[in-house]
Amino acid sequence: MDITTLTELLRETEERHGAYEATAPEHHWSDWYAAYIVARENGRTPDEAAGDAALHMEALQR
């Protein structure tokens, strides 16, 4: 991945995380970011990736 693509993906991730963080329990942003970025790299849409990241965070809370 080149720097420009990674920068765009990180900015997208930041925007999506803001919506999640507003209602989420306390967590470290890196857990959500990592799950979101992996999902996007695997071809998931932004909405699907946000859902995948939320599910990942739920699993960590257990």
Side-chain angles (χ1 to χ4, degrees):
M1 178 181 304
D2 61 72
I3 293 171
T4 301
T5 302
L6 179 57
T7 299
E8 290 170 2
L9 182 55
L10 285 169
R11 286 183 179 146
E12 175 187 312
T13 305
E14 178 184 22
E15 289 174 17
R16 293 291 181 145
H17 180 253
Y20 171 78
E21 190 171 35
T23 60
E26 187 174 331
H27 66 283
H28 196 276
W29 64 267
S30 62
D31 290 317
W32 197 95
Y33 270 49
Y36 183 91
I37 290 170
V38 167
R40 290 292 281 134
E41 283 290 291
N42 286 322
R44 306 283 279 164
T45 67
D47 288 339
E48 292 169 336
D52 291 350
L55 289 174
H56 172 72
M57 298 307 293
E58 286 177 21
L60 292 178
Q61 296 294 321
R62 293 182 194 151

